[in-house]
Amino acid sequence: MSTGPPIDELHFADAPSVDTVPGPRSRTLLEKQREIDSSAVAYPNDIPLAFEAGKGATIRDVDGNTFIDMFAGIGVLNVGHANPYVVEAIHEQMDKLVHTVDFPTDARLELIEKLDEIAPGSLAGDNRVVFGGPTGSDAIEASIKLAKFNTGGDGLIAFRGGYHGPTSGAMSLSSNRKFKGHYTPLLPDVVHAPYPYAFAQGKTPDEATKDALEEVRAIVEDPYSGLANPAGIFVEPIQGEGGVVVPQKGFLEGLRDIADDNGLPLIFDEIQSGIGRTGEWFAADHYDVTPDVMTMAKALGGNGLPLSATMYREELDTWGPGDHAGTYRGHVTAMVGGIRAIEYIQAHDLLAHARELGEHIRGRLEAVADTNPMLGEVRGKGLFIGAEFVTEDGTPAGETVEAIQQYCYEHGVLVWTAGRYGSIVRLLPPLVLTRELADIALDVLVDAIEAATDQ
């Protein structure tokens, strides 16, 4: 196969097409899930569906309803559901070899070389990659260990609004108190600095950036800050779960300066923002800032296959054999999927497509904001978009966002939410979303906003 069909040939032709949701078969499977699955299952509580098949930026449930998928498995399916170019290679690999721990394979080494090819800034040509287990949390845990191993420190600096995963170290870096409240104590000496979130903080972007950087510098350099032995600064270059919060230029550059001045590694969590999501390979590329360590997962496996990786400067490769280990660091099929996904993005110029389509989507939502005061701010990069809703007195409008999500679901468009109070509509569509499908989805979303806000 060549580098696959063009993006307009990837999708179910009838999307969106919705009768009753949830339909009878979905209801049956949802009820069975409630009876035998974990009570920790969450996503079907918001969108009660049982899926059957996906193609491109569309997905079909077991009752035959077809949806435009605007959240792509929470940013996992960057080249779409069942992308033929990716699936073909995965099928071939499955017939030969699946699991190799960390023995070399052509796929493993080729993916490392591909990641070097797209690495941000001076990480290109100056890096090592360690693969982890199936989730982004595994990459975060590796980065924590790497920072401690290289610095001898144990204090970690993270940010309010940040999310890094559900394992112990990743949860320690995350800021959601409710999320981690039942599991304390976690790692000691983790300090959360303010992230520049000008809209929510009632500040100008310059003020928010200046205040955040002053606090980080004080945490690191003030002899009475309370953090005795810092090991690293961990940050999402664009916050995802926190509400698609996009810092202005100057923030990440300032963190780079603080890290350099104090001999600390700067670690970027690119798990949600990487592999083309923002219209560049990594969000770091928008800011011309090179991290010392970068975590990846989600879209890395190409077609929804689980794979995580941590890339770091070669000088930090001080581990000896076995100093970091894991059974599932040799998932060859996922590595093949990652290679093919990168190739598909390159061949179809999906970075430029994501930038252009993202600008179009934000433009349509900004036009709504011009006449609807409840849509307080539209922000994002590429196809990583957040629309924040507020009440008349400026407080978060989480119930409004729930109503918008429900309306979209009932009319064949799947969107997700984000933010501290669930007041952000978060759009993470596959990069293969076409302009036509985007406009259909936006028509539904605009109608949903009008219905939910009584405008």
Side-chain angles (χ1 to χ4, degrees):
M1 181 183 285
S2 66
T3 48
I7 65 172
D8 57 359
E9 296 180 9
L10 296 178
H11 320 281
F12 286 125
D14 61 338
S17 177
V18 173
D19 188 9
T20 300
V21 289
R25 293 193 64 206
S26 283
R27 289 197 299 271
T28 297
L29 292 178
L30 289 163
E31 179 58 33
K32 185 174 183 179
Q33 182 179 43
R34 283 190 290 269
E35 291 173 356
I36 66 174
D37 207 338
S38 169
S39 58
V41 166
Y43 292 104
N45 296 335
D46 295 300
I47 299 180
L49 286 175
F51 294 124
E52 183 175 66
K55 290 183 67 176
T58 59
I59 195 164
R60 184 167 288 159
D61 73 5
V62 293
D63 295 287
N65 297 302
T66 309
F67 303 83
I68 300 175
D69 182 0
M70 297 292 281
F71 69 88
I74 314 300
V76 168
L77 298 156
N78 284 11
V79 295
H81 296 272
N83 185 298
Y85 183 65
V86 179
V87 169
E88 175 199 54
I90 288 172
H91 283 174
E92 291 177 358
Q93 184 62 50
M94 286 286 289
D95 289 336
K96 296 188 295 184
L97 186 67
V98 173
H99 176 73
T100 63
V101 194
D102 59 4
F103 290 97
T105 61
D106 287 337
R108 181 190 190 90
L109 301 180
E110 185 178 346
L111 180 55
I112 291 173
E113 291 174 340
K114 271 291 183 187
L115 292 175
D116 177 67
E117 181 181 327
I118 66 174
S122 58
L123 266 184
D126 176 24
N127 65 75
R128 289 290 185 266
V129 173
V130 60
F131 291 105
T135 73
S137 291
D138 295 290
I140 293 293
E141 299 291 346
S143 69
I144 292 171
K145 291 169 65 177
L146 187 70
K148 290 185 173 184
F149 195 93
N150 276 276
T151 65
D154 53 22
L156 309 176
I157 300 159
F159 290 87
R160 297 170 201 162
Y163 176 80
H164 300 279
T167 54
S168 183
M171 199 162 27
S172 300
L173 295 175
S174 299
S175 64
N176 186 332
R177 292 187 297 179
K178 181 180 178 181
F179 176 69
K180 61 187 187 180
H182 292 291
Y183 310 109
T184 56
L186 298 168
L187 295 186
D189 281 342
V190 178
V191 178
H192 289 85
Y195 194 91
Y197 187 177
F199 179 79
Q201 293 163 344
K203 301 177 180 179
T204 67
D206 285 343
E207 290 170 339
T209 300
K210 177 177 177 290
D211 291 349
L213 289 173
E214 286 180 351
E215 181 65 19
V216 176
R217 189 170 286 278
I219 290 168
V220 176
E221 297 179 358
D222 184 343
Y224 278 73
S225 73
L227 187 66
N229 298 298
I233 300 171
F234 295 75
V235 65
E236 295 167 276
I238 297 175
Q239 286 192 340
E241 301 295 324
V244 193
V245 183
V246 182
Q248 71 167 11
K249 283 185 177 294
F251 174 62
L252 297 176
E253 293 89 338
L255 292 182
R256 178 72 274 171
D257 290 341
I258 294 168
D260 289 343
D261 291 346
N262 293 276
L264 296 175
L266 178 62
I267 298 96
F268 279 7
D269 179 342
E270 292 266 13
I271 291 165
Q272 190 166 145
S273 57
I275 317 296
R277 168 58 49 198
T278 67
E280 299 288 352
W281 284 113
F282 298 97
D285 294 317
H286 291 281
Y287 299 95
D288 297 324
V289 177
T290 303
D292 300 299
V293 183
M294 181 176 70
T295 60
M296 298 168 275
K298 286 192 181 285
L300 180 62
N303 205 38
L305 294 178
L307 182 66
S308 71
T310 304
M311 175 181 281
Y312 51 93
R313 291 190 186 277
E314 187 170 356
E315 67 182 33
L316 298 176
D317 195 36
T318 55
W319 277 329
D323 280 337
H324 182 66
T327 302
Y328 286 101
R329 50 193 171 140
H331 191 350
V332 190
T333 46
M335 292 169 177
V336 167
I339 294 164
R340 282 294 181 100
I342 292 169
E343 290 176 346
Y344 189 87
I345 291 169
Q346 290 171 325
H348 296 269
D349 201 12
L350 293 188
L351 298 183
H353 176 70
R355 293 193 297 270
E356 294 163 5
L357 188 57
E359 184 176 356
H360 173 68
I361 292 171
R362 291 193 301 275
R364 284 202 57 182
L365 292 174
E366 286 163 356
V368 175
D370 288 341
T371 60
N372 189 331
M374 289 195 72
L375 179 43
E377 185 173 60
V378 179
R379 51 185 180 258
K381 296 279 189 186
L383 291 174
F384 196 10
I385 299 167
E388 182 159 2
F389 289 81
V390 293
T391 63
E392 290 183 4
D393 63 3
T395 57
E399 291 184 359
T400 298
V401 169
E402 287 181 10
I404 290 169
Q405 183 184 49
Q406 179 69 19
Y407 182 102
C408 288
Y409 155 61
E410 293 173 355
H411 291 80
V413 176
L414 304 182
V415 302
W416 209 252
T417 64
R420 293 167 169 82
Y421 307 100
S423 56
I424 291 98
V425 172
R426 177 173 37 157
L427 304 179
L428 297 166
L431 308 185
V432 299
L433 181 74
T434 63
R435 175 74 170 260
E436 180 184 5
L437 283 171
D439 278 329
I440 294 170
L442 285 165
D443 288 343
V444 172
L445 179 55
V446 170
D447 289 345
I449 294 169
E450 292 178 352
T453 59
D454 295 323
Q455 296 293 316

